[in-house]
């Protein structure tokens, strides 16, 4: 997928959310403890916080339907195209 397709997919998440991290420079990725080959470096990964944690099941279902990998990082969900 390209970044445009990924952005459109993220925009279509069916529950209210905020993006907390998307595209990162290598420097910023290191500063926040990101892995060396983070999907944030190419814009094909993002972190989101749900407005309502009761929507967790909905975002997990959405990620599976869209063939996205979803990781519950505790304070946010990481989504990327590496399903």
């Amino acid at each position: 997928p390209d970044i445009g397709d990924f952005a459109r997919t993220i925009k279509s998440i069916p529950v209210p959310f905020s993006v907390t991290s998307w595209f990162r420079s290598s420097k910023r990725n290191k500063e926040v403890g990101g892995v060396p080959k983070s999907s944030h470096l190419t814009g094909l990964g993002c972190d989101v916080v749900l407005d309502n944690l009761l929507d967790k099941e909905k975002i997990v279902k959405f990620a599976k339907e869209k063939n996205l990998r979803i990781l519950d990082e505790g304070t946010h969900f990481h989504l990327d195209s590496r399903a």
Side-chain angles (χ1 to χ4, degrees):
D2 68 24
I3 191 169
D5 291 337
F6 184 70
R8 283 185 287 281
T9 300
I10 296 303
K11 185 179 175 185
S12 71
I13 292 173
V15 296
F17 69 97
S18 298
V19 173
T20 59
S21 182
W22 199 308
F23 228 120
R24 292 184 193 151
S25 67
S26 295
K27 180 182 177 202
R28 179 68 181 149
N29 195 55
K30 286 179 188 174
E31 291 171 353
V32 300
V35 297
K37 294 191 179 205
S38 171
S39 56
H40 288 278
L41 297 171
T42 60
L44 294 175
C46 72
D47 299 333
V48 301
V49 175
L50 301 180
D51 289 5
N52 185 341
L53 287 178
L54 296 176
D55 288 331
K56 178 179 178 177
E57 288 181 25
K58 291 178 184 175
I59 196 171
V60 169
K61 180 181 176 192
F62 171 84
K64 288 180 181 180
E65 289 171 353
K66 299 296 184 179
N67 200 31
L68 297 175
R69 180 172 68 157
I70 184 167
L71 303 172
D72 184 344
E73 302 280 357
T75 59
H76 64 274
F77 292 92
H78 172 85
L79 294 151
D80 66 41
S81 61
R82 292 189 247 169

